[in-house]
Amino acid sequence: MAYAEQGQVPTGTPVGDIRARIRSVLKEHSQLSVDVSSLADTADLYEAGMTSRASVSMMLALESEFEIEFPDTMLRRDVFESVEAIGAAVEQLLARH
Amino acid sequence: MADFVSVVEQIGAEVARASAADVDAGARFPRETFEALRAARALSAAAPAAFGGAAASVLELSRMCTALGQHCASSAMVLAMHHIQVLSIATHTAGRPELGEYLGQLAREQRLVASVTSEVGPSGDMRRSVAAVQTAGQRFTLSKQATTISYGAHADDLLITARRSPDAAPSDQVLVLAPRGTYRLVGAGAWDTLGMRGTCSPGATVQVEGEGWLILPDSFGDIATFTMVPTSHILWSSCWLGIATDAVAKAQALVRAKGRATPGVVPRAAQRLCELVRKLQSLRDEVQAIAREYDELRNARDTDRLASLSFALRINNLKLTASTLVVEIVSEALSICGIAAYKNDSPWSLGRQLRDAHSAALMISNDRIYDTNASLLLIHKGN
């Protein structure tokens, strides 16, 4: 996140790659009523049709994809409400490794 | 506020108890009880003090529901559902002045608010709507086919879930306030059920036409997470606790009478009563502990904890525990009391309490809640 905010990371670097992988997980598991590729990074996924049930499937798939575990304190609606928010959470967990 | 709880307890003992059998037999609205609750200004107990309410805590509202539930569970459930609607509006007005004025009017006129969250359709899930708000300029229309609307025909105002717009996803929902005069209930069905007969909850189509400010500014997702779901499970459980308390009181009185008949000999039923009182105690402790915890989180505006999966699990578990225990407790009380409680025309009768208790597992079906918890436990690490 810090890199992205400072604008130091061009497309194709890890941050961009993480977002692409998140989008691929979303496409598979979030059961959105719209095409994931049409959504901005900041778009609200719940407004785009993601149910609580689908959000749990997505969390499990993200844990598997990135080999991370979301601690219970991160299991909140706002942490998973957009590609950007999920990206921030994933980067924070990957940085701990 | 302790006074408020005792006022409701008195209304329960004097008004609700006297009409409970007739309300049940006729599947009719407990109007005497609600006239008394209005006169005591109990319908604005949950409204903020700034708008003329009593700003009661959820623990106090819980005690009101339990007090009334000992006498007439239908009355208690209507009061619980009303409090849930008032809390949902009051917590999510986002400072919109018209909604503040509405709450003032609710307190002055002691208006009764009903909920329209159920809907004919494939999902049966409160968090997915079919009906959508259609906006035209400053006004909107909404038509929704509900499977049940509790006391819809006896309410002043309705609170209705719907999709934000015709092209919104099913989970992109808003909560719409429909004061009397803005809505029509069409084609209401019959309400002839095993229990909770006085809640008068047939399905109907509700048609609304109103001004834009009636659509609550917060998303229904937030209103459900922070207010409607936790307060529903706490206040419903409080009603069931009232039913269980009533059943145990009857069993205790009957066992005491047996004990007096044979001084020096502890009746066998007294052993079984121990078990019953233990279960009632754990139910009461569970309901009150979560009501207190919710009040603390609400007062601290701890939205992180309120929106956490662990709190969702905790609230869902309260519902599962209370709805299961109430049936067990009333069934065991019936068995301890024997034929005296099995007879319908006996002062010890527990028939209505048992029928009312069986509604608990159906109000948001326990099967659905087990499914949700099972899925949450896949991702949740603590316990």
Side-chain angles (χ1 to χ4, degrees), chain A residues 46 49 51 63 70 72 77, chain B residues 127-128 169 171 309 375 381-382:
Chain A
Y46 294 95
T51 62
E63 290 192 338
F70 293 110
D72 289 345
R77 192 181 163 90
Chain B
R127 297 291 295 275
R128 294 170 76 81
S171 60
L309 289 197
S375 134
K381 281 88 191 171

Side-chain angles (χ1 to χ4, degrees), chain A residues 31 33 45-53 55-61 63 68-73 75-78, chain B residues 127-128 164 168-172 219 221-222 225 303-305 307-309 368 371-372 375-376 378-383:
Chain A
Q31 296 171 25
S33 52
L45 298 173
Y46 294 95
E47 281 180 15
M50 185 169 70
T51 62
S52 307
R53 184 76 50 88
S55 73
V56 171
S57 307
M58 178 194 67
M59 291 172 198
L60 287 169
E63 290 192 338
I68 51 174
E69 280 203 342
F70 293 110
D72 289 345
T73 49
L75 300 177
R76 301 192 316 263
R77 192 181 163 90
D78 56 313
Chain B
R127 297 291 295 275
R128 294 170 76 81
R164 187 180 300 278
S171 60
D172 184 10
S219 74
D222 283 351
T225 302
T303 49
D304 281 358
R305 169 80 182 138
S308 68
L309 289 197
R368 178 180 288 277
D371 283 352
T372 304
S375 134
L376 295 184
L378 293 178
I379 191 78
H380 187 260
K381 281 88 191 171
N383 53 43

Side-chain angles (χ1 to χ4, degrees), chain B residues 170-189:
Chain B
S171 60
D172 184 10
Q173 295 165 294
V174 289
L175 197 56
V176 176
L177 171 66
R180 185 187 290 280
T182 63
Y183 69 86
R184 288 196 314 144
L185 287 176
V186 185

Side-chain angles (χ1 to χ4, degrees), chain A residues 3-92:
Chain A
Y3 292 114
E5 277 164 8
Q6 289 160 21
Q8 294 174 352
V9 183
T11 319
T13 58
V15 171
D17 183 45
I18 286 171
R19 300 241 169 127
R21 284 161 74 190
I22 290 170
R23 282 176 177 274
S24 135
V25 168
L26 280 175
K27 195 176 166 72
E28 188 84 12
H29 297 280
S30 62
Q31 296 171 25
L32 299 186
S33 52
V34 296
D35 184 357
V36 175
S37 57
S38 71
L39 289 175
D41 278 355
T42 52
D44 188 318
L45 298 173
Y46 294 95
E47 281 180 15
M50 185 169 70
T51 62
S52 307
R53 184 76 50 88
S55 73
V56 171
S57 307
M58 178 194 67
M59 291 172 198
L60 287 169
L62 288 167
E63 290 192 338
S64 168
E65 168 69 26
F66 292 101
E67 296 181 353
I68 51 174
E69 280 203 342
F70 293 110
D72 289 345
T73 49
M74 272 193 179
L75 300 177
R76 301 192 316 263
R77 192 181 163 90
D78 56 313
V79 173
F80 295 92
E81 72 186 0
S82 65
V83 171
E84 184 176 271
I86 297 168
V90 168
E91 282 162 34
Q92 193 186 327

